[in-house]
């Protein structure tokens, strides 16, 4: 499924983000940047030690990556050229600024992509795994943030792919994209 915004596409696929051949995939990282479970673990396994080494260097230089922000590394052994590590919010009931933090996470990842001139970027469903963000709420926040970036930024990527790992998450994003 796909929809265009100012000539730029948001595409939804069911699949594994580590297999995407795009300019950059986005990692649902944590503030330590030192790896974790879920999609983070899968990206580090597939990317190999080069990705973790770069994350360690960034961490040593700049400290932890705050929630809502993102940093860039190479893709190591991944088919994607780069990895944008974005830190989503942990769900704490919804009144702790979670929607704003989730939207900044997508915006800041796209800002890095725009600065680098990336044309194609793939996102997972940030925060809806271990971080517990309800998918029904995360889907519309994520899609709205990406659509508004694509509509307003001249240097935005021409194609943003959401790679959803399970059919329920895929169906939820599909419903949200339809009503956008
Ligand atoms: P968070 O800590 O931000 O919640 P998780 O990695 O736990 O991140 O989960 C985020 C989403 O990524 C979940 O929907 C999870 O099912 C999904 N996911 C896990 N592995 C992959 C993968 N290889 N490709 C794409 N999505 C994945």
């Amino acid at each position: 499924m796909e929809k265009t915004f100012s000539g730029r596409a948001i595409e939804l696929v069911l699949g594994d983000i580590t297999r995407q051949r795009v300019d950059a995939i986005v990692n649902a990282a944590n503030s330590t940047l030192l790896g974790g479970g879920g999609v983070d673990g899968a990206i580090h396994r597939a990317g190999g030690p080069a990705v973790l080494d770069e994350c360690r260097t960034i961490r040593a230089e700049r400290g932890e990556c705050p929630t809502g922000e993102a940093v860039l590394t190479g893709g190591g052994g991944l088919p994607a050229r780069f990895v944008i590590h974005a830190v989503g919010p942990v769900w704490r009931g919804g009144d702790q600024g979670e929607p704003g933090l989730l939207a900044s996470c997508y915006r800041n990842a796209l800002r890095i992509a725009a600065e680098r001139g990336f044309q194609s970027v793939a996102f997972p469903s940030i925060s809806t795994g271990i971080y517990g963000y309800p998918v029904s709420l995360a889907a519309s926040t994520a899609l709205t943030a990406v659509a508004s970036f694509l509509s307003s930024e001249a240097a935005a990527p021409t194609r943003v792919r959401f790679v959803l790992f399970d059919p329920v998450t895929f169906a939820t994003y599909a419903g949200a994209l339809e009503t956008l």
Side-chain angles (χ1 to χ4, degrees), residues 15-19 27-30 37-43 45 86-90 123-133 135 163-166 169:
D16 181 342
I17 200 159
T18 64
R19 315 276 298 259
N27 182 16
N30 58 58
V39 73
D40 196 4
I43 287 173
R45 274 194 300 279
V87 182
V90 173
F123 282 97
S125 176
I126 296 170
S127 284
T128 66
I130 298 158
Y131 280 5
Y133 207 120
V135 181
V163 183
L164 293 330
F165 205 48
D166 66 276
T169 302

Side-chain angles (χ1 to χ4, degrees), residues 85-112:
H85 304 262
V87 182
V90 173
W91 180 257
R92 293 196 170 90
D95 57 2
Q96 305 292 309
E98 294 92 333
L101 289 166
L102 187 63
S104 350
C105 186
Y106 283 93
R107 262 198 314 274
N108 285 324
L110 287 171
R111 193 166 294 140
I112 291 174

Side-chain angles (χ1 to χ4, degrees), residues 60-105:
E61 287 171 3
R62 308 187 215 164
E64 294 205 334
C65 182
T67 302
E69 296 187 17
V71 302
L72 181 72
T73 70
L78 288 158
R81 290 164 54 217
F82 293 92
V83 180
I84 300 169
H85 304 262
V87 182
V90 173
W91 180 257
R92 293 196 170 90
D95 57 2
Q96 305 292 309
E98 294 92 333
L101 289 166
L102 187 63
S104 350
C105 186

